[in-house]
Amino acid sequence: MSDMAESDMAEDRMVKTTCPRDCYDACGITVTLRDGAIQKVLGDRDHAITRGALCGKCAIVYNGAWRAPDLRLSTPLKRIGAKGEGTFAPISWDEALGLIAERFGALVEEGAARTILHTHYTGTVGLVGGWYPIRFFNRLGATEIDPDTVCNKAGHVALEMIFGESLEGFDPRTARDARTILVWGANPSHSAPHQNKGWLKDARAAGTRIIAVDPIAHDTARAADLHLQLRPGTDAALAFAFMHVLRRDGLANEGFLSAHVLGADELIPAIDAMTPERAAELCGVPADLIIAAARAYGGGPSLLWLGQGVQRQPYGGNAFRALAALVAFAGHLGKPGAGFLYMNGPGGRGIDMATVTAPTLARESVPAISHMDLAATLEDPAAARAFVNWNNNPAASSPEQARLRAALKREDLFHVAVDLFHTDTTAYADIVLPAASFLECDDLVLSYFDLTVSAQVKAGDPPGTALPNSEIFRRLAAAMGFAEPELFETDADLIARLLAQTPFEGTFADLAAIGTATVFPEPRVQFAGLAFNTPSGRIELASARAEALGLPRLPQPHADARTQAGRVRVLSPASPWLLNSSYGNDPVIHRRLGVPTVALHPDDAAREGLAEGDKVVLANGEGQLPLTVTLSDRTQPGVALVHKGRWPAFSPGDANVNALVGGLKSDMAESTTVHGTEARLVRLVAAE
């Protein structure tokens, strides 16, 4: 029998695993293997969210760049050219780890461990791959760049201040009991495509009213029963107008406010002053739409989905405090079909993340640094002498892009990068360590939307000598001479301990057989006992803790000033083809993306004398970004839409939208204000 005939008769084997990307969906995946090699990666037909299909971007890259030998890193590398050139020579693991241990050890001996900075985020949300390496940095005494400050920290701090918790949200299955779902600042059509086509679509089909509040008319907004297309930065004013309608029309839950809320009476003057007509002037939303949406939400039971984009603006923390007040005035908590969701965290399934990160390894407390301060810190040789990035690509995704990349060129900054691919950031590294992908190691994945536990199952071997994140840092701990047992716990043992904390009754092998387990048989009711982990035990709309931070005691009906003439407000939400900066190097994705564009409202284009396809530059004090004009009624006058996630190295001008984003911190938590960015629109005139 010929080799071809034998191959044709080879029996395929199927492995269930889970997508661990920074996405609400946590999709189930089926990997087809033949002779131990991955043949194709598809959606799991048995998965409640995937329903047999992956989103377009994952279907491309998991069968493309993530399995492409010419793109994946397969051996440790040492820089041999100038920083930023991306010129490296292969070295062994022993040499790479020895060089890192020597440099880190010298800093520890000097008492300068704090000058070793490490930055990471959600290149994987697998519990082991995403957080196990923090054990090493805790033991080392390094300084962490607070990961959430580049994304969602203001929202977390605001919700923790008011409810005592930001990681307990509604169970999506309770949508069956809701009459209205209010999607405020979330873009499920791009950021949660299966949720958008799954439970949200099912709820709409069952008669639940869907209301979207967003400056952009994305697909979810266009399909909604109502879309309130507010001006950017006016969310708090609009939330106060909703509360005005609730009070005026007898929909405020006075009993709930009296029993469970602190400070509601103090807000009443500001609520009464923010009429729908006043909000219409500030927010650009017709008063009749505000009234209709507020009545639908107030009538309840209602769910409020709080998008992470809402708080990525200068007064993002205040916006979340105002939206929390809306929940409180409606009394939409503690009953089926009611609640809000920012994220559902590990604790809701019983998992203590300290089990993963082992904070007791730290010899002393080392304050974290905001991503808004990363560039300035890396510029300072006294503050930063070594830098490690893992699970992220800060040269593409952090603010002050030009300043940051200039700081990364410091020859005296020892830089280690851990990644699957060469990226804009690895180009500056002294040592690059090759990491395994989610298809090449076991892990646990927790959706931050659905209350599930999922198995990430090894389906194949990593290329060359690439290793899982956890193994990389186990080996580095050994090279440093550390001896603490926590630094050498195996993945299998840790996964077993984590799984035992959840309601799932079974082993990792049992979970791997089914892929994803719903750990509660019936929908959970958010804050079922109406007990809140705040100093008063109540929902604290009036906050002494806010005052102690120099913030107003109460949320304010704030609205950002309108953008001045000659400037546009730049919004940079997710693209349908990228996930943050993940997937930016796949050639098929490149073709789908096309040239970088700025979507302008036709009125703005006409005022500037611009047409479809014209070349322009967005420019401000941070930098400039060349783009091609596209006209769209999805945006509104004064707003420029530039999707995030492109890699600078693959973009004109060697920059992406973060070239325009400064280090301005939000009102709370020193967090990002990316959606508060403004820029001038400059037309490029072709040379004759």
Side-chain angles (χ1 to χ4, degrees):
M1 185 179 294
S2 69
D3 290 341
M4 182 175 292
E6 289 178 0
S7 175
D8 289 343
M9 293 179 63
E11 185 174 343
D12 290 346
R13 183 168 70 88
M14 314 297 286
V15 173
K16 288 180 182 287
T17 188
T18 305
C19 179
R21 303 277 68 77
D22 187 7
C23 167
Y24 293 94
D25 294 355
C27 291
I29 289 175
T30 300
V31 181
T32 302
L33 302 174
R34 180 172 297 175
D35 294 333
I38 296 174
Q39 298 298 302
K40 54 187 174 182
V41 179
L42 303 172
D44 181 3
R45 295 181 180 179
D46 300 326
H47 193 268
I49 302 301
T50 306
R51 303 182 184 185
L54 291 177
C55 69
K57 52 185 173 287
C58 290
I60 290 170
V61 298
Y62 295 160
N63 291 289
W66 285 57
R67 292 168 42 216
D70 59 326
L71 294 179
R72 289 288 303 277
L73 296 171
S74 60
T75 187
L77 301 171
K78 180 180 179 180
R79 178 172 64 91
I80 56 174
K83 287 198 171 190
E85 288 182 355
T87 307
F88 299 92
I91 57 175
S92 68
W93 274 102
D94 286 344
E95 183 179 357
L97 296 174
L99 289 169
I100 298 168
E102 180 181 1
R103 295 293 292 269
F104 286 3
L107 292 171
V108 171
E109 285 294 318
E110 289 181 38
R114 290 188 180 206
T115 66
I116 305 171
L117 276 56
H118 72 104
T119 179
H120 62 99
Y121 207 37
T122 45
T124 174
V125 297
L127 297 186
V128 180
W131 283 271
Y132 183 100
I134 294 175
R135 294 184 179 194
F136 172 80
F137 292 106
N138 281 336
R139 171 62 180 84
L140 186 64
T143 297
E144 181 182 44
I145 308 303
D146 187 333
D148 281 341
T149 56
V150 81
C151 182
N152 54 25
K153 188 76 178 275
H156 281 303
V157 171
L159 295 177
E160 288 164 4
M161 188 177 290
I162 293 173
F163 296 103
E165 174 63 75
S166 68
L167 291 172
E168 179 180 347
F170 64 68
D171 185 333
R173 295 175 298 168
T174 198
R176 69 191 190 192
D177 300 305
R179 293 177 60 190
T180 298
I181 299 174
L182 181 56
V183 183
W184 199 305
N187 178 7
S189 54
H190 289 177
S191 299
H194 287 98
Q195 304 291 352
N196 190 59
K197 296 177 182 178
W199 75 276
L200 203 58
K201 182 179 179 180
D202 294 345
R204 185 183 299 112
T208 302
R209 175 170 286 194
I210 309 298
I211 301 173
V213 179
D214 203 286
I216 303 299
H218 48 66
D219 288 349
T220 300
R222 286 190 162 177
D225 296 284
L226 291 175
H227 174 209
L228 279 61
Q229 191 170 15
L230 77 172
R231 293 193 184 99
T234 64
D235 302 87
L238 185 58
F240 270 76
F242 271 50
M243 289 184 278
H244 179 102
V245 175
L246 297 188
R247 278 182 43 78
R248 186 193 68 186
D249 294 358
L251 294 171
N253 192 327
E254 299 295 344
F256 183 89
L257 291 170
S258 177
H260 302 292
V261 181
L262 182 68
D265 55 337
E266 298 179 52
L267 274 180
I268 289 174
I271 292 172
D272 288 348
M274 188 54 69
T275 64
E277 292 73 24
R278 174 60 178 150
E281 296 174 3
L282 294 171
C283 307
V285 177
D288 60 335
L289 282 186
I290 296 173
I291 294 167
R295 285 174 175 170
Y297 176 75
S302 296
L303 302 174
L304 172 60
W305 183 349
L306 292 168
Q308 298 181 37
V310 178
Q311 47 81 73
R312 294 174 187 158
Q313 52 185 311
Y315 291 92
N318 178 70
F320 259 49
R321 293 177 73 188
L323 288 164
L326 173 60
V327 173
F329 270 80
H332 289 331
L333 284 176
K335 56 190 176 184
F340 67 88
L341 187 145
Y342 190 38
M343 298 177 73
N344 272 317
R349 278 146 284 190
I351 287 180
D352 179 1
M353 287 302 293
T355 306
V356 186
T357 61
T360 55
L361 286 169
R363 307 294 180 89
E364 60 179 335
S365 177
V366 180
I369 293 174
S370 170
H371 262 279
M372 305 310 104
D373 293 322
L374 177 58
T377 305
L378 288 177
E379 285 176 343
D380 183 0
R385 296 171 65 182
F387 179 58
V388 185
N389 72 278
W390 50 284
N391 284 353
N392 71 344
N393 181 9
S397 59
S398 288
E400 298 187 297
Q401 188 171 94
R403 184 181 183 186
L404 174 63
R405 293 171 72 177
L408 289 174
K409 289 184 177 180
R410 278 179 45 204
E411 283 293 336
D412 60 338
L413 178 70
F414 180 63
H415 179 182
V416 178
V418 182
D419 215 305
L420 280 69
F421 307 103
H422 275 304
T423 68
D424 292 285
T425 307
T426 66
Y428 297 90
D430 295 286
I431 301 292
V432 179
L433 302 179
S437 80
F438 80 101
L439 294 169
E440 299 150 3
C441 55
D442 292 340
D443 210 329
L444 285 180
V445 176
L446 305 182
S447 166
Y448 51 77
F449 199 74
D450 299 287
L451 293 172
T452 55
V453 177
S454 301
Q456 175 189 303
V457 181
K458 180 178 179 179
D461 293 324
T465 61
L467 296 170
N469 284 356
S470 52
E471 181 60 21
I472 290 173
F473 286 95
R474 277 191 286 265
R475 294 190 183 190
L476 186 52
M480 291 287 298
F482 296 157
E484 290 81 358
E486 298 95 326
L487 297 171
F488 304 98
E489 183 175 17
T490 67
D491 293 355
D493 287 347
L494 177 55
I495 289 170
R497 287 205 296 134
L498 292 170
L499 198 55
Q501 294 177 354
T502 74
F504 179 74
E505 297 180 357
T507 65
F508 182 72
D510 297 326
L511 183 61
I514 60 173
T516 292
T518 299
V519 294
F520 302 109
E522 293 296 324
R524 305 278 284 182
V525 173
Q526 184 184 20
F527 296 119
L530 294 178
F532 303 96
N533 188 28
T534 59
S536 66
R538 307 171 84 187
I539 299 171
E540 296 191 352
L541 301 184
S543 174
R545 288 183 292 173
E547 288 184 300
L549 294 172
L551 297 167
R553 173 177 170 81
L554 300 164
Q556 305 294 305
H558 171 81
D560 285 357
R562 296 194 184 206
T563 305
Q564 295 180 355
R567 299 176 71 85
V568 289
R569 179 95 168 227
V570 182
L571 299 185
S572 49
S575 158
W577 295 110
L578 296 173
L579 209 162
N580 299 321
S581 71
S582 293
Y583 312 155
N585 63 333
D586 188 285
V588 177
I589 293 291
H590 282 173
R591 292 196 294 273
R592 297 294 176 92
L593 287 171
V595 299
T597 61
V598 54
L600 299 175
H601 190 275
D603 290 353
D604 286 339
R607 186 183 65 252
E608 299 291 337
L610 295 170
E612 185 86 18
D614 282 351
K615 305 298 182 183
V616 297
V617 167
L618 286 177
N620 59 18
E622 290 298 327
Q624 57 184 24
L625 184 65
L627 298 160
T628 298
V629 170
T630 183
L631 304 184
S632 175
D633 60 358
R634 289 184 182 269
T635 184
Q636 53 187 296
V639 175
L641 174 62
V642 182
H643 287 114
K644 68 177 180 178
R646 288 179 180 267
W647 289 16
F650 295 110
S651 304
D654 192 24
N656 65 15
V657 71
N658 286 313
L660 304 173
V661 178
L664 178 67
K665 298 173 182 176
S666 59
D667 55 339
M668 301 178 70
E670 299 189 336
S671 198
T672 179
T673 58
V674 59
H675 291 321
T677 301
E678 294 186 2
R680 303 185 312 279
L681 188 64
V682 181
R683 180 174 185 171
L684 291 181
V685 179
E688 296 183 0

